Amino acid sequence: MIMEIHFGVDYYPEHWPRERWETDAKLMQEMGVQVVRMAEFSWFKMEPREGEFHFEWLEEAIALLDKHGIKTILGTPTAAPPAWIIEKNPEIQPIDTQGRVRHFGGRHHDCQSNPTYRAHIKRFVTHMSQRFANNPGVIGWQIDNELGNAHGDLCMCDSCKARFQQWLEKKYGDIETLNDAWGTAFWSQGYNTFSQISTPLITAVGENPSAMLDWKCFCSDLIVDFAKWQADIIRENCPNHFITHNYMCFDDKVNYYDLGELLDFVSNDIYPAGYWQEQPHQPDSDIAACHDVVRSYKKKPFWIMEQQAGISGWGTMARALDPGQMSVWAMQSVAHGADAVVFFRWRACAMGTEQYWHGILGHSGRPGRNYEEAKKLIHTFAPHMDEFEGAMPKPEVAIVHSFRQNYAFQIQPNHPDLRYVEHLKKYYKAFYDKKIPVDFVQDSDDLSQYKLVIAPLQYLMTPELEQHYIDYVEAGGHLVLDMRAGVKDANNICMTDRELPGRLGDLCGIEIPEYDCLFSKECQVLFGKREYPVSKWADIITLTDAKMIAEYTTSFYKQTPAVTENVYGQGKAWYVGTQPGAELMDELVEYFTQESDVERLGTAQDGVELMTRESDGQVWLFVINHTNEEKVYHLNDTYRLLEGEREEYLKPYEVQLFVKNKYGR
Ligand code: GAL
Ligand code: ZN
């Protein structure tokens, strides 16, 4: 679906007098805006009383924008049901783990299984989609807004309980099977019937890890079903419109791979300098990792539906962006696979919770620094973006990413500070620093196109997954496995049939009869001639076939292997029994990439990012300076400079764009 739409803004005309709309549309057009997203929180404006629909204001705004060459994406407003619905049906408000109602007054005050709420949605979304199906200004839909946001431990209501019971019955068939799968022999947790099973309200103490894993998977399925409820209606009424949803990077309430199946393409919201962060902004490599995982959710280019455009803030605020920083972040999105970037928001709002969430325009509405910067960015890069729309990065390295593994570590982190996504990002950063592009993949994906696969924290294991990894290596793949591999079965119950890491031990040529949680404990590893700190965990490894490539130098297991290497079939399997610190990670990744023949795009000073997208034999290369200093870099291949002044040299916050023909034609 080639749309030749590349830049836009999130627009809330209903927050401003109508007399202002024309000025907004003109300013947007001059800036180069081609699309707006509107209405995702405007239910009350569109239906102030049950059955009384007011879409005229929205139609007027759409038409006005269209006159200025700007198309519209409509959001369904289902993340904020109006007060009249709550008054009539208070039971649609969600219940938290303590059994308390989360009340009206903010947003996300909805239960996603509640049939009464579903009926309201059906009525409203049917109306809205029919009304706008043939509107020439409208091109697509965003379902709800950031599904999973603020639904962290929700919802425990009776409706969700009944649905959870049905979900379990469908999965297990009979209660004995569930009792086995959940290990309910422990602490007398056996059930006679599915109807005895509750949503996980706060307990006196402790919880069942198997039950919790099912609950998290159920919640994800429920959200997908909630989205499908709307997607089906829109598909039927608006066959010519696309459907997307705004994701939140690595957020985990809903399995984004599953949700992606409903959508034409995935969108993402990205706020590198969120006001909740202690640091001025997220590390550049973390932002890059977000884009890469978002691209991987549907293995397609994506949109940024909310790209930070100014100071973020609710009650308190984050730092102002340096001149050039907004552009750099926007182009970083593009470099990793965004075909369009929509800035949040057009103008800082004067009222409500988000008064301090700044936009392209400030409160005064007068174009200033951000406006000029965005305009320059769009005029420079939009013309090129038609050419590489649809192009994808083609990494040689993949990192396996799994919602289920993440859930299992949330339930039992093993070490109090072990975080699944943070652990993946440690590997990611080492590749990022070496200018080596990375894909994220699901563990069920075909891995054969990758020279090197990193599969961290393979905690929940099945015979199929073991075989999948064995096949990949046997056929010549290079695989890195690490600590806590093969510990549990799919039900989150410890495996007992052999030593860790189960059958992966044959692949890695090791056994792990013992381990040590490095809680408040220092630990060192010798690799080459140097010692490096490691943390979180120490697998105590016995070699069966493998060779040791790094050893512990601390504790009773000093001089035993911390990292091992095993030739298996045509390939190689490494096992890393600990969490390497940044320096050791860097050295290990260097070694793994050399052994797997993985190429780098070039070399550069710190703060410079290199990334490519490819299609039809053309390769576009982005060089991004994330700092306010001058930088130098070197490319490992010859490219033609399309934007930028001087090759191998960058001004502060400069973005350069290159192209080459892959076959030298
Ligand atoms: C996003 C959300 C927007 C707005 C923005 C700033 O999470 O989708 O509606 O709230 O953050 O807080
Ligand atoms: Zn509920």
Side-chain angles (χ1 to χ4, degrees), residues 9-256:
V9 291
D10 296 297
Y11 187 38
Y12 302 92
E14 71 274 27
H15 296 173
W16 304 98
R18 273 176 204 223
E19 305 80 69
R20 168 73 195 193
W21 295 0
E22 179 87 44
T23 310
D24 282 337
K26 273 195 198 135
L27 283 171
M28 285 183 201
Q29 185 176 23
E30 279 164 31
M31 182 175 124
V33 166
Q34 296 168 290
V35 70
V36 295
R37 181 199 61 186
M38 296 197 286
E40 81 282 7
F41 284 106
S42 314
W43 197 332
F44 186 65
K45 284 270 172 190
M46 296 188 273
E47 193 188 14
R49 273 163 290 276
E50 183 155 10
E52 186 186 319
F53 294 100
H54 288 288
F55 292 114
E56 325 77 51
W57 65 273
L58 187 53
E59 282 165 339
E60 193 183 327
I62 294 169
L64 180 66
L65 290 158
D66 199 22
K67 205 177 81 195
H68 290 269
I70 299 166
K71 295 293 173 193
T72 293
I73 297 169
L74 290 172
T76 61
T78 49
W84 62 258
I85 293 187
I86 305 298
E87 180 189 36
K88 188 174 170 205
N89 303 112
E91 72 280 13
I92 74 160
Q93 294 171 113
I95 306 290
D96 71 12
T97 49
Q98 300 195 32
R100 301 173 304 199
V101 176
R102 297 280 184 96
H103 296 274
F104 181 87
R107 60 177 174 183
H108 299 296
H109 43 271
D110 59 312
C111 160
Q112 290 171 328
S113 77
N114 185 285
T116 310
Y117 189 44
R118 293 276 183 115
H120 278 295
I121 291 177
K122 184 161 203 165
R123 188 178 49 72
F124 183 83
V125 173
T126 302
H127 238 88
M128 187 178 180
S129 55
Q130 284 171 353
R131 180 81 172 233
F132 291 99
N134 299 311
N135 187 311
V138 176
I139 55 171
W141 296 80
Q142 172 191 296
I143 292 175
D144 203 270
N145 189 77
E146 293 187 340
L147 287 162
N149 186 351
H151 277 89
D153 56 3
L154 304 175
C155 164
M156 306 293 146
C157 79
D158 286 345
S159 159
C160 288
K161 179 166 142 183
R163 245 189 125 103
F164 185 41
Q165 291 167 356
Q166 284 161 21
W167 186 92
L168 291 168
E169 195 159 356
K170 188 162 170 228
K171 176 168 176 184
Y172 294 108
D174 55 74
I175 200 71
E176 291 74 33
T177 312
L178 176 136
N179 281 320
D180 277 353
W182 284 12
T184 56
F186 186 78
W187 281 357
S188 194
Q189 287 175 355
Y191 297 100
N192 311 104
T193 59
F194 285 97
S195 62
Q196 291 169 347
I197 300 172
S198 175
T199 49
L201 287 159
I202 190 167
T203 63
V205 66
E207 55 192 20
N208 180 322
S210 303
M212 289 308 294
L213 181 61
D214 269 340
W215 169 253
K216 283 176 180 284
C217 293
F218 159 76
C219 288
S220 171
D221 285 358
L222 175 61
I223 296 175
V224 173
D225 183 78
F226 180 81
K228 187 171 184 302
W229 184 254
Q230 306 191 24
D232 288 348
I233 301 171
I234 298 170
R235 287 250 180 258
E236 192 181 326
N237 292 328
C238 307
N240 301 323
H241 292 165
F242 63 76
I243 300 180
T244 187
H245 177 70
N246 52 339
Y247 285 26
M248 298 174 284
C249 305
F250 278 99
D251 195 78
D252 51 55
K253 297 303 169 295
V254 51
N255 184 319
Y256 282 148

